[in-house]
Amino acid sequence: MGRRCCAVALAMVMVMGLASLTLARNYRRSMLSNGLGMTPPMGWNSWNHFGCDIDENMIKETADALVSTGLAKLGYVYVNIDDCWGEISRDDQGNLVPRNSTFPSGIKALADYVHSKGLKLGIYADAGYFTCSKRMPGSLGHEEQDAKTFASWGIDYLKYDNCHNDDSKPTERYPFMTRALMKAGRPIFFSICEWGDLHPAQWGARLGNSWRTTGDITDTWESIISRADQNEVYAEYARPGGWNDPDMLEIGNGGMTKDEYIVHFSLWAISKAPLLLGCDIRNMTKETLEIVSNKEVIAVNQDPYGIQARKVREDDEVWAGPLSGYRFAVILVNRGSVRTSVTAYWDDIGLSPKSVVQARDLWEHKTLKTRFVGNLTAMLNPHSCKMYVLTPIA
């Protein structure tokens, strides 16, 4: 059966209209108020594809590729360096030091280059004694010093991990970096990477702009589906300025089929998740570029309402959420191993059963000629989906 309570909630949100935006903007942090992340961040992160095998030339080439492929114009503006960018020890003044063998020009020079392309530079740190790789010092006890360093370098985004800490709760450690960033003199998007252990969706909005709701993703169907499910539980907490984060995108890394990657991108988009590419941008296939540059799907993710979709039906799997302009984004998913039909019912979505609806297929880029009343059905291949924007017309 569909979740009637979810349908009622969605209907109420649509009736409220612009009031929901006001509520979302007013529900801000008691500590962090940097004005960032009014839509989910878009960009790239080095970890999923490269791990610790990073250097300044590769980062520059990635920035170049974001521009040359047209991805930057679509909103992919963050170029985020993950773990392993620094030396194992701090300098004599206690400052973090870029690794000389891989970032000889320093992070400030790299930030200047990225900024010259019209992009933003992100960096990685950890709320512990070491980063997760144990190749760099963590920021525990050095929060204010490190935040000032990041600001002086021109950093725009901080991913803050949770490894090798002092066993205190993240709710005790993360506020120190929040306060430090607020005093650093530069707006820096704060991404809390606590892995979802202590339900950061319930407290993250006071401290950061996004918060991980899951463990690390891998390039498999099982991993992306399970993380979408885990993230969906916290849908009510997402809003402009603060987003649930089911981890970075794996599209283009080669572990899944085209249909599976389309499901991956569709679910992240409708879930208002950060769209951080995790492949080698410099060597993307045409297929990968087509998936991640789908303007219509990106528009769902970046819709100003900022309302995360819910899974409104479990048996025939349907995800749905309201968009601005009295529209609904809907995904029909077949996570099974055989071809099957899936139906979206208006009462699950929050529409009147008698509503006449126009359906726009976001992957076929066409408006269907049929006008639908009460429900919409599609035949789906295994591990595939259909994504629509539904607009009531009568």
Side-chain angles (χ1 to χ4, degrees):
M1 293 181 63
R3 297 181 184 173
R4 297 306 177 103
C5 61
C6 184
V8 171
L10 289 175
M12 289 178 63
V13 167
M14 294 307 298
V15 171
M16 290 172 68
L18 290 176
S20 65
L21 276 177
T22 303
L23 175 64
R25 290 188 170 96
N26 287 341
Y27 181 86
R28 288 318 307 139
R29 290 76 49 182
S30 58
M31 294 179 63
L32 183 71
S33 53
N34 55 19
L36 301 176
M38 298 311 291
T39 58
M42 297 175 61
W44 171 86
N45 177 283
S46 61
W47 185 257
N48 284 2
H49 188 86
F50 295 97
C52 282
D53 188 18
I54 57 174
D55 59 58
E56 63 181 41
N57 289 330
M58 183 268 283
I59 301 299
K60 289 180 179 180
E61 291 168 1
T62 298
D64 294 342
L66 285 171
V67 174
S68 65
T69 57
L71 289 172
K73 287 185 177 180
L74 296 177
Y76 293 97
V77 296
Y78 285 105
V79 181
N80 292 348
I81 309 168
D82 211 281
D83 203 350
C84 307
W85 57 266
E87 298 286 2
I88 187 64
S89 300
R90 295 173 179 269
D91 67 16
D92 292 342
Q93 286 75 47
N95 295 310
L96 292 169
V97 181
R99 183 165 296 179
N100 187 59
S101 62
T102 51
F103 293 88
S105 303
I107 303 299
K108 176 64 168 65
L110 186 56
D112 290 344
Y113 183 87
V114 169
H115 292 157
S116 75
K117 301 292 180 178
L119 305 173
K120 301 177 184 295
L121 188 69
I123 208 161
Y124 168 97
D126 188 279
Y129 297 117
F130 295 95
T131 62
C132 291
S133 70
K134 297 194 82 171
R135 298 188 185 188
M136 286 178 54
S139 293
L140 186 62
H142 293 267
E143 293 87 355
E144 193 163 323
Q145 183 175 14
D146 291 352
K148 289 179 179 178
T149 296
F150 298 149
S152 72
W153 287 344
I155 294 299
D156 303 293
Y157 184 115
L158 175 63
K159 175 183 174 181
Y160 202 46
D161 223 329
N162 194 36
C163 289
H164 309 299
N165 56 68
D166 60 0
D167 293 326
S168 63
K169 294 180 179 180
T171 48
E172 298 171 1
R173 283 177 286 113
Y174 277 84
F176 286 98
M177 183 55 80
T178 300
R179 285 190 286 266
L181 290 173
M182 290 304 296
K183 294 191 293 183
R186 179 181 180 83
I188 296 176
F189 186 102
F190 189 28
S191 171
I192 296 171
C193 186
E194 184 265 4
W195 323 316
D197 289 353
L198 204 63
H199 308 291
Q202 297 175 356
W203 48 267
R206 295 186 301 106
L207 305 179
N209 299 110
S210 67
W211 41 86
R212 275 277 294 280
T213 54
T214 71
D216 288 356
I217 198 170
T218 60
D219 189 18
T220 66
W221 172 253
E222 293 75 16
S223 180
I224 67 110
I225 284 295
S226 65
R227 274 140 192 80
D229 288 343
Q230 293 164 29
N231 188 66
E232 189 265 350
V233 173
Y234 302 106
E236 66 185 283
Y237 296 100
R239 61 201 68 211
W243 308 103
N244 292 316
D245 178 7
D247 207 2
M248 299 163 292
L249 294 163
E250 290 282 6
I251 300 155
N253 282 329
M256 288 184 274
T257 67
K258 179 181 179 180
D259 281 348
E260 289 171 339
Y261 281 138
I262 287 174
V263 174
H264 183 13
F265 195 65
S266 300
L267 288 177
W268 262 238
I270 204 170
S271 298
K272 302 300 187 288
L275 297 182
L276 297 175
L277 303 173
C279 62
D280 185 351
I281 303 296
R282 305 167 302 172
N283 296 295
M284 279 190 303
T285 64
K286 180 181 178 181
E287 180 179 282
T288 296
L289 182 59
E290 286 177 352
I291 293 171
V292 302
S293 62
N294 186 320
K295 294 180 181 179
E296 296 187 77
V297 175
I298 291 171
V300 169
N301 179 260
Q302 298 290 298
D303 185 80
Y305 269 18
I307 301 170
Q308 181 174 330
R310 303 297 299 262
K311 192 191 302 183
V312 298
R313 183 169 283 265
E314 294 277 0
D315 43 6
D316 286 352
E317 186 172 332
V318 178
W319 298 62
L323 300 173
S324 58
Y326 194 58
R327 300 169 300 142
F328 293 83
V330 178
I331 300 178
L332 283 58
V333 181
N334 177 12
R335 66 172 72 189
S337 58
V338 297
R339 182 173 168 84
T340 190
S341 64
V342 176
T343 299
Y345 294 94
W346 286 187
D347 57 352
D348 289 337
I349 295 170
L351 283 165
S352 167
K354 296 181 180 180
S355 293
V356 180
V357 169
Q358 174 181 283
R360 175 74 176 178
D361 187 322
L362 303 192
W363 287 104
E364 296 294 333
H365 302 293
K366 66 181 181 181
T367 301
L368 304 186
K369 293 181 179 180
T370 302
R371 296 298 181 257
F372 299 89
V373 179
N375 64 77
L376 181 155
T377 299
M379 287 296 300
L380 301 177
N381 291 324
H383 294 191
S384 72
C385 72
K386 281 286 189 179
M387 187 172 187
Y388 303 101
V389 168
L390 305 182
T391 304
I393 56 176

